[in-house]
Amino acid sequence: VPKVSQEHLDSRRAQILDGARRVLAKHGYDGATIAKIVEETGLSRGAIFHYFHDKKEILVALGAEVSERYVEAVTTGGFAEAIRELIREDPELLAVLIETEARLSHDEDFVQRLAASSAAFLPTFGAWIEEQQAAGALRDDVDWRDIGRFANIVVNGLALRIVRSEETDVEVITRLLEDAIRPKPPA
Amino acid sequence: VPKVSQEHLDSRRAQILDGARRVLAKHGYDGATIAKIVEETGLSRGAIFHYFHDKKEILVALGAEVSERYVEAVTTGGFAEAIRELIREDPELLAVLIETEARLSHDEDFVQRLAASSAAFLPTFGAWIEEQQAAGALRDDVDWRDIGRFANIVVNGLALRIVRSEETDVEVITRLLEDAIRPKPPA
């Protein structure tokens, strides 16, 4: 048996996730069957199940990926820039965001698995907000978790509106978010 | 045949909506069958179909009702007070809010019907925001629609978090919303 390099494993895994992301965007979670992912990627069922235990594990991986990209974008360029990147540039990521959100409502197993997959990078998010608070760039009269939650609410709500093609001025909504979390002027 | 009074008709309709709201909160939209509404209300299928053309029309009526209550609460006591009323006091209303939101994503017929049912009171919402802008109580550097949309995003996101029992400080999130939409201090 030839030895398979780590790069090969990683790139195969990424190939499956790319295909699954497209399938999810087209068909939603319920419609995203392994058969469709097989068709989209050109890989066998066996190959897919070699990397992912079940269909849910693929959505967990996609959900963790979108969270990780969001956290990376926020900690690199701030919330407004992260929203522009995530919300505007990739409709497939929006679909992942929304399907992940929907799943969180009625699948406790999914909630647990996603939390486990996100444990590695979520502390970075908290640390970054606290640094910004200390530096006077974000308000420090509320807990960093509340700032994170408020921003998540706005990001998810924006994603929904965009996917539904509801009239939405992303720049204005982003500006209101920034005003909500900026330091309060002295009274 | 005895003449049926308008009050009787109205109260029967309200009885159906009350039962349907409870069923929806317990079983979600897909699980909320007419059979369950029959069981919950003690009314016959025939009686229910006398008031509502189909199951979807019941959700449209419930969705319009929650919007109307929200608009009434906002125009009476402002956004923060409306959130307290709507979000905190009635888990069944939260369920309606969330099921309505979910439906909006993949049911164009539902979108149209809900818009038609909401047409009567939505202008009140816009007029109230514009009055508040003119009075200096809300920021006037953005369109009233953007203020309404931003508040809706936050209200819906809060509702989701509460229904999922995710840790959420409603007062803090409400305060951030208020800071987002209050007039900006002079630069």
Side-chain angles (χ1 to χ4, degrees):
Chain A
V1 186
K3 228 173 137 186
V4 179
S5 71
Q6 186 61 41
E7 288 101 285
H8 179 79
L9 290 171
D10 288 350
S11 93
R12 184 53 60 92
R13 191 173 181 279
Q15 186 187 351
I16 297 168
L17 290 179
D18 285 346
R21 211 183 296 109
R22 287 192 296 271
V23 170
L24 193 73
K26 246 184 285 180
H27 303 283
Y29 183 78
D30 291 329
T33 57
I34 295 289
K36 288 214 181 74
I37 299 172
V38 164
E39 199 182 320
E40 182 74 31
T41 56
L43 299 171
S44 68
R45 287 180 73 86
I48 292 169
F49 284 122
H50 178 73
Y51 290 87
F52 297 97
H53 186 70
D54 55 15
K55 171 178 145 178
K56 203 191 280 183
E57 200 177 314
I58 301 180
L59 183 66
V60 168
L62 290 174
E65 178 194 61
V66 74
S67 290
E68 188 167 12
R69 282 171 74 156
Y70 171 67
V71 166
E72 200 179 301
V74 169
T75 56
T76 305
F79 283 105
E81 208 32 53
I83 289 176
R84 272 176 215 118
E85 267 185 55
L86 208 69
I87 299 265
R88 293 194 142 166
E89 285 170 18
D90 194 339
E92 283 164 14
L93 284 184
L94 290 190
V96 172
L97 203 63
I98 286 164
E99 295 293 333
T100 304
E101 273 290 298
R103 206 81 213 150
L104 289 175
S105 289
H106 48 74
D107 187 339
E108 189 50 39
D109 173 48
F110 181 79
V111 172
Q112 303 294 339
R113 291 207 218 173
L114 186 65
S117 289
S118 309
F121 54 84
L122 278 189
T124 318
F125 190 52
W128 181 83
I129 297 177
E130 288 188 312
E131 271 167 40
Q132 299 295 308
Q133 289 178 305
L138 290 176
R139 66 193 293 168
D140 63 358
D141 60 334
V142 300
D143 193 272
W144 74 263
R145 288 170 196 82
D146 292 310
I147 291 180
R149 282 170 196 146
F150 189 82
N152 286 351
I153 286 173
V154 174
V155 170
N156 287 324
L158 262 179
L160 258 186
R161 294 189 61 92
I162 290 168
V163 165
R164 285 184 200 155
S165 310
E166 289 175 4
E167 207 189 319
T168 305
D169 188 328
V170 175
E171 283 304 317
V172 170
I173 299 293
T174 304
R175 191 150 30 109
L176 296 182
L177 167 61
E178 289 186 298
D179 286 344
I181 61 179
R182 74 170 76 252
K184 297 193 73 167
Chain B
V1 184
K3 228 171 136 187
V4 178
S5 71
Q6 185 61 42
E7 289 101 287
H8 179 79
L9 291 171
D10 288 351
S11 93
R12 183 54 59 92
R13 190 172 182 278
Q15 186 187 352
I16 297 168
L17 290 179
D18 285 347
R21 211 183 294 112
R22 288 192 295 271
V23 169
L24 192 72
K26 246 183 287 180
H27 304 283
Y29 184 78
D30 291 330
T33 57
I34 295 289
K36 289 215 180 74
I37 299 172
V38 164
E39 199 183 318
E40 183 75 32
T41 56
L43 298 172
S44 68
R45 287 181 73 86
I48 293 169
F49 284 123
H50 178 72
Y51 290 87
F52 297 97
H53 186 70
D54 54 16
K55 171 177 145 176
K56 203 191 279 183
E57 199 176 315
I58 301 180
L59 182 66
V60 168
L62 289 174
E65 178 194 62
V66 74
S67 290
E68 188 168 11
R69 282 171 74 157
Y70 171 68
V71 166
E72 200 179 300
V74 168
T75 56
T76 305
F79 283 105
E81 209 31 52
I83 289 176
R84 272 177 214 117
E85 268 184 56
L86 208 70
I87 299 265
R88 293 194 142 165
E89 285 169 17
D90 194 339
E92 283 165 15
L93 284 184
L94 291 190
V96 172
L97 203 64
I98 287 165
E99 295 293 334
T100 305
E101 273 289 298
R103 208 78 213 152
L104 289 175
S105 288
H106 47 75
D107 187 340
E108 188 51 36
D109 173 48
F110 182 79
V111 172
Q112 302 294 339
R113 292 208 219 172
L114 186 65
S117 289
S118 309
F121 55 84
L122 278 188
T124 317
F125 190 54
W128 181 83
I129 297 177
E130 288 187 313
E131 270 168 41
Q132 299 295 308
Q133 289 178 306
L138 290 176
R139 65 194 292 167
D140 63 359
D141 61 333
V142 299
D143 194 271
W144 74 263
R145 287 170 196 82
D146 292 309
I147 291 181
R149 281 170 196 147
F150 190 82
N152 286 351
I153 286 173
V154 173
V155 171
N156 287 324
L158 263 179
L160 257 185
R161 294 189 61 92
I162 291 168
V163 165
R164 286 183 199 155
S165 310
E166 289 175 4
E167 207 188 320
T168 305
D169 187 328
V170 176
E171 283 303 318
V172 170
I173 299 293
T174 304
R175 191 150 30 108
L176 296 182
L177 167 62
E178 288 186 297
D179 286 344
I181 62 179
R182 75 169 75 253
K184 298 192 72 168

